[in-house]
């Protein structure tokens, strides 16, 4: 008889070791770090306004703007009045007849007029000129923002590029669905003035392809502000993938969706699943089945609902795709059986009533 028990014990231990249960079963308070759930970050709380650059004044002249320059030479002759249509190039300069290139980007219209007068005097072109500058047409500079932002779509930027923090702030900020991964793709814009007859020249050397991926989990707010996004780019804020948790056992079986930007613990999952069928004193034991990171094996974590209620550490943080099994016991089995009999009897009595 002792030999038989010894064989059974050895067989049980061997089976457990072979299946990995001796190394893959833990309690809620003794889960190794490599199997612990990673907290979910709510990126909608990320405030980048302090790192977003202030816009240049709407009155400021920008590269790509088309200007009208009215110049009076002050000579009171028939040809003293001049009107020129000029465009501010990518370097911020406008080329004026006789006067030459003048830096105008960043100046107001009044400041631009003063700068043209000063340059004319310095170059001995017109000695007593008066100048008026007006913006005829502004070149629209946009970045397309898609994904988990509050106002997706085109975002207007003031220069040829903007910081990523600027772009996110202009798109209304991130939503709770944001996963923290941002991809940037696109191509720099070719200056509009580079033309050959009716056909625009687009040299390969002037085309700047940009593609990058940013992880907000690994990038500080100040670093986000320093990432430059050229006009014409597409910024896509990756939304989080669906994160279901399956709740089964002595409870209403269902897949519980993890709310965006929120962490779900054991008691949260039970509440989302409709609450316990029986009280903590009747139904207490829970097993969480979790897939090992980067593998197909699973680990089992034993938990107690009563302990989770009394101790925050025992209220285990859950991972997406965890299976939470509220365990059956003798008492819950008996109550479920009696409930089934009573329900069947009541149904039968309703049928019997004429």
């Amino acid at each position: 008889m002792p030999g038989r028990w010894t064989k059974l014990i050895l067989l049980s231990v061997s089976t457990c070791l072979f299946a990995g249960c001796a190394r893959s079963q833990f309690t809620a308070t003794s889960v190794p770090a490599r199997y612990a759930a990673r907290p979910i970050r709510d990126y909608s709380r990320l405030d980048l306004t302090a790192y977003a650059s202030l816009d240049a004044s709407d009155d400021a002249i920008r590269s790509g703007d088309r200007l009208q320059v009215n110049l009076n030479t002050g000579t009171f002759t028939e040809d003293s009045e001049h009107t020129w249509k000029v465009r501010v190039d990518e370097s911020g300069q406008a080329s004026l007849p006789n006067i030459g290139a003048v830096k105008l980007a960043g100046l107001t219209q009044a400041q631009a007029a003063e700068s043209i007068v000063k340059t004319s005097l310095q170059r001995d072109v017109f000695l007593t000129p008066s100048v008026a500058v007006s913006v005829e047409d502004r070149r629209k500079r946009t970045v397309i923002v898609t994904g988990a932002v509050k106002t997706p779509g085109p975002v207007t930027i003031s220069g040829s590029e903007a910081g990523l923090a600027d772009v996110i702030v202009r798109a209304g900020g991130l939503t709770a669905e944001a996963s923290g991964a941002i991809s940037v793709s696109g191509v720099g814009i070719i200056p509009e003035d580079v033309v050959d007859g009716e056909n625009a020249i687009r040299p390969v050397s002037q085309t700047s392809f940009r593609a990058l991926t940013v992880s907000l989990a690994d990038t500080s707010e100040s670093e986000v502000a320093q990432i430059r996004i050229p006009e014409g780019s597409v910024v896509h804020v990756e939304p989080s993938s669906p994160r279901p948790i399956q709740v089964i056992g002595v409870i209403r079986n269902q897949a519980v969706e993890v709310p965006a930007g929120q962490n779900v613990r054991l008691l949260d999952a039970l509440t989302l699943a409709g609450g316990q069928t029986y009280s903590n004193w009747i139904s207490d034991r829970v097993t969480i089945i979790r897939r090992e990171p980067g593998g197909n094996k699973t680990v089992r974590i034993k938990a107690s609902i009563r302990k989770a209620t009394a101790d925050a550490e025992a209220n285990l943080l859950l991972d997406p795709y965890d299976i939470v099994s509220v365990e059956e016991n003798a008492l819950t089995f008996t109550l479920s059986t009696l409930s089934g009999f009573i329900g069947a009897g009541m149904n039968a009595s309703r049928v019997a009533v004429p």
Side-chain angles (χ1 to χ4, degrees), residues 18-338:
F18 180 77
C21 60
R23 293 172 295 172
S24 60
Q25 184 164 299
F26 311 98
T27 64
T29 55
S30 67
V31 180
R34 64 174 299 221
Y35 298 130
R38 294 186 61 182
I40 296 169
R41 184 176 175 184
D42 183 359
Y43 287 101
S44 67
R45 299 176 181 272
L46 183 65
D47 187 2
L48 294 171
T49 53
Y51 299 92
S53 301
L54 294 175
D55 280 343
S57 169
D58 287 339
D59 295 331
I61 294 170
R62 305 168 187 168
S63 296
D65 287 352
R66 187 177 292 279
L67 310 177
Q68 176 173 306
V69 178
N70 297 314
L71 182 144
N72 188 309
T73 62
T75 58
F76 300 103
T77 60
E78 290 184 1
D79 60 348
S80 62
E81 296 282 346
H82 299 274
T83 299
W84 302 315
K85 308 285 188 180
V86 296
R87 183 177 290 279
V88 182
D89 64 22
E90 293 302 307
S91 66
Q93 298 185 100
S95 182
L96 302 173
N98 300 322
I99 297 174
V102 183
K103 182 82 171 183
L104 299 180
L107 303 179
T108 64
Q109 296 173 29
Q111 291 170 338
E114 292 175 5
S115 181
I116 292 171
V117 170
K118 184 178 178 180
T119 304
S120 176
L121 294 173
Q122 288 173 343
R123 297 174 182 173
D124 293 327
V125 181
F126 303 110
L127 300 181
T128 57
S130 60
V131 177
V133 177
S134 60
V135 177
E136 272 206 336
D137 180 46
R138 286 199 182 277
R139 172 175 156 187
K140 290 185 178 180
R141 303 172 182 273
T142 59
V143 171
I144 305 298
V145 186
T146 62
V149 291
K150 294 177 182 175
T151 53
V155 166
T156 302
I157 60 176
S158 57
S160 60
E161 62 179 17
L164 181 55
D166 285 295
V167 172
I168 292 174
V169 169
R170 292 172 192 272
L174 304 174
T175 66
E177 286 77 17
S179 66
I182 300 176
S183 60
V184 181
S185 59
V187 57
I189 301 301
I190 304 302
E192 296 179 11
D193 290 340
V194 183
V195 296
D196 178 17
E198 296 181 355
N199 299 316
I201 300 174
R202 296 202 182 331
V204 175
S205 61
Q206 288 185 291
T207 304
S208 174
F209 290 94
R210 293 284 299 272
L212 60 93
T213 302
V214 179
S215 171
L216 294 179
D218 303 318
T219 310
S220 67
E221 286 88 343
S222 59
E223 290 172 330
V224 172
Q226 293 170 12
I227 297 172
R228 308 308 297 174
I229 308 299
E231 63 168 314
S233 295
V234 177
V235 176
H236 181 65
V237 180
E238 299 284 348
S240 299
S241 301
R243 301 188 298 263
I245 291 173
Q246 186 73 30
V247 181
I248 61 175
V250 189
I251 195 169
R252 190 175 69 175
N253 297 345
Q254 62 174 308
V256 173
E257 196 71 31
V258 177
Q262 294 184 28
N263 293 296
V264 171
R265 294 184 175 274
L266 172 58
L267 297 182
D268 299 325
L270 298 181
T271 300
L272 290 170
Q276 296 169 243
T277 304
Y278 302 105
S279 73
N280 297 346
W281 297 103
I282 296 174
S283 176
D284 177 58
R285 297 296 176 186
V286 177
T287 299
I288 295 96
I289 303 169
R290 178 171 297 170
R291 182 172 296 178
E292 290 186 4
N296 295 321
K297 295 183 178 180
T298 58
V299 296
R300 286 168 171 72
I301 305 167
K302 296 294 183 178
S304 162
I305 299 175
R306 287 200 295 269
K307 288 182 179 178
T309 304
D311 181 8
E313 187 180 359
N315 189 17
L316 189 72
L317 179 64
L318 299 180
D319 237 358
Y321 306 105
D322 277 355
I323 299 174
V324 179
S325 175
V326 181
E327 296 180 3
E328 183 84 80
N329 57 45
L331 186 53
T332 59
F333 177 78
T334 302
L335 291 173
S336 297
T337 303
L338 290 174

